[in-house]
Structures are given as structure tokens and as C-alpha cells.
Amino acid sequence: MPPDAFDAAIVGGGPAGLSAALTLARAGRRTVVFDAGAPRNAPAAHSHGFLTRDGTPPAELRRLGRAEVEGYGGTIREAEVAGAARTDGGFRLTTADGGDVTARVLILATGVVDELPGIPGLAGAWGRSAVHCPYCHGHEHRGKPTALLGRGDTTFDEARLLLGWTDDLTVVTNGPEDLDDAQEAALAAEGVRIVRTRIARLRAPGGQVEAVVFEDGTEIPCGVFYVQPPQRPHSDLAARLGAALDADGYPEVEAYGRTAVPGLFVVGDVTGKPQTVAAAVAEGALAGMAANYELVVGPQES
């Protein structure tokens, strides 16, 4: 087999991609992982909720995963995949530095991009004290004065969920919010405050949120700021390879991460499932098993 011809290529070196690579490498498949070096969870100090590795820094988790993949003969390439095309035998990938690789099956674990609201101070605190998920960060901020940035018809349920981690909760809507009277009354009965004044900034020295400051000069103390920002796929490789997209522009996937394109799988955050390390690892492992099966019996038509 030529040096740049692989059984399996994985684009994305996070938990989903490395898990898929580990499964394939352990199956004896010649496997390459491309990692562009821009992980979504880089700002976070620790990863949580992954059994036996709770609290591990994201960079350390990736280091451990890479070592395991390489220990079974897998290859890690620190390169961005700039282009992809289907071939008679599978796929051809072109890297930004001019490399060229072929693979019989392809797994995309390229993730999503968070599009943060333009609130001054938010970006500097993102992943530390401005966070998106109580399952990922809630325990570390338990009991702190908490603010939740409203986002329409999901605000009510999100606020009720956060009451499992704090009894000092303020919903900041940053303008109009579509909570109805019954929802407002239910939240008020739980001690939740609602502030509709527009936000001027977060006061967050060193990335630690201390207060939400409003345009009228008032502020509320805040130790953690929850926001679930809009997202978009980090890469359009799936679309360029002919995968069907849903109404929001995300690849449509079936069981085991399969797409309608034979031999092409998509896993991880971009699939829309719970965006946790544990879920990503599970998805990657299942896709690795399915990809190995296709290497044995041939591509499966959806």
C-alpha cells in the first residue's frame, strides 16, 4: 500500500475523532487522523463527565488519546484538510500544506463553531465562568449567583434546569423575551428574577465573571454566566462530498454516523446530539466499528 494511502481517514482530532481512530487502529486498519489544532474546548480548564477522566484538562485528554492511537499504529497529522473529493476507491483529501492522501472510508469529526453574542467581556470568560452546559460546568459553579442569557422559547426550561445547581438565579433577557405570564409566575415562585434591561458588558477580570452590567448603569452580582450561543458547522467538507444537509445546514446522519454518501461518516458535536466528551467518544467508537465493517463488506447504501 502506498505511504499516503490509508484504510481510514479521520478529520478532527478531538474525542470523537480519536475514539474512531482508536477503534480502527485496534482493528488493524491503516488509519490517519488530521488535527488542525483548534479544538472548541480549548478555553476550558477541565473536561467533565467522562468516566475515569473527570477533571482532565482537554489538552491532556487529547495527548492521552493520541498516544493510544499511535500505540496501535495509527498516524496523527497536524494539518488542516482543505479539500476532499470522492474517488472510485473512496476519498482523496488535500491538506492546506499541499499534502495528498487517499482513504477507503472517511470519518468527519470537525465539530462546530460557537457564535458568541457581542457582549463585551463574554469572549474572555468563555469556557471558564461564562459557560454553556451545567452538566459540563455546573458542579464547579454550584451555589454561585447565576445569570442565564435568555434565548426565546427555551428560556423557561433552561432556567428550571439551572435551579438544580443554584438557588440564586437571574434570567437576563438582553431585551424582549417571550416568557408568558404563567412561566414568569412559575419562575418567580422559585425565586428566579427576570431582568429585561439591555446588557452593557460583563465585568470579568481575568476571565472570572463578577457582575452583569446593564446599559442603565445597574448591575447584578454574578459568579457564572450561562449562554447557549448559536452554532454553525466548523467545516463544509460533508456538503462538498455530497452529504445531505438539514434545514440548519448540518449533515444528516443515520445510525453509527452514516451519511447517504457510501463510506462517509459524521460524528461528534456537529451531529446535534448532547455535546459532551462522553457522547463524542461513544459516537466515535460506533462509527469506527461501522467503518471497519464497511471495509470488510463494502460501502453500505443508505
Side-chain angles (χ1 to χ4, degrees):
M1 184 178 286
D4 288 328
F6 292 86
D7 294 317
I10 294 97
V11 182
L18 289 172
S19 178
L22 179 62
T23 300
L24 284 156
R26 279 179 50 82
R29 297 302 180 180
R30 192 156 190 265
T31 302
V32 61
V33 178
F34 292 95
D35 187 349
R40 179 185 172 216
N41 63 355
H46 303 96
S47 298
H48 291 286
F50 184 29
L51 192 64
T52 78
R53 288 293 182 265
D54 186 74
T56 304
E60 175 66 4
L61 199 62
R62 288 193 298 278
R63 186 193 70 79
L64 292 168
R66 284 182 168 206
E68 290 180 349
V69 170
E70 290 176 325
Y72 288 103
T75 299
I76 307 293
R77 292 195 179 180
E78 295 185 359
E80 178 184 357
V81 174
R86 298 169 67 182
T87 67
D88 288 342
F91 303 89
R92 181 176 295 278
L93 305 179
T94 304
T95 59
D97 59 8
D100 202 31
V101 163
T102 62
R104 294 167 60 196
V105 295
L106 174 60
I107 299 176
L108 300 180
T110 47
V112 296
V113 175
D114 294 307
E115 298 183 323
L116 296 180
I119 298 172
L122 174 58
W126 182 241
R128 287 177 279 181
S129 58
V131 296
H132 74 295
C133 170
Y135 294 106
C136 300
H137 304 281
H139 180 82
E140 287 63 43
H141 296 290
R142 181 178 291 278
K144 293 181 180 179
T146 300
L148 167 66
L149 182 64
R151 59 168 190 157
D153 59 4
T154 64
T155 300
F156 178 65
D157 288 338
E158 289 173 10
R160 294 172 65 211
L161 181 67
L162 286 177
L163 290 172
W165 284 270
T166 184
D167 58 4
D168 186 349
L169 176 62
T170 303
V171 173
V172 290
T173 69
N174 203 25
E177 173 62 64
D178 60 0
L179 290 167
D180 60 35
D181 291 343
Q183 290 173 332
E184 285 199 38
L187 292 178
E190 296 282 356
V192 178
R193 298 168 295 279
I194 300 172
V195 178
R196 288 186 168 81
T197 309
R198 290 207 170 270
I199 298 170
R201 62 186 175 91
L202 298 184
R203 188 167 73 242
Q208 176 54 57
V209 176
E210 293 181 348
V212 182
V213 181
F214 298 97
E215 288 183 347
D216 64 2
T218 61
E219 60 181 63
I220 59 168
C222 177
V224 57
F225 186 82
Y226 281 93
V227 52
Q228 293 196 346
Q231 298 175 333
R232 59 176 172 81
H234 189 271
S235 168
D236 66 349
L237 288 175
R240 281 193 268 168
L241 289 167
L245 305 181
D246 65 18
D248 296 317
Y250 291 85
E252 294 183 352
V253 297
E254 300 178 356
Y256 306 104
R258 284 192 174 95
T259 70
V261 178
L264 177 65
F265 300 77
V266 177
V267 296
D269 288 353
V270 76
T271 65
K273 297 182 177 67
Q275 294 176 343
T276 68
V277 171
V281 169
E283 283 188 50
L286 291 174
M289 293 176 191
N292 186 61
Y293 181 79
E294 294 204 4
L295 290 169
V296 174
V297 304
Q300 305 297 291
E301 298 287 346
S302 295

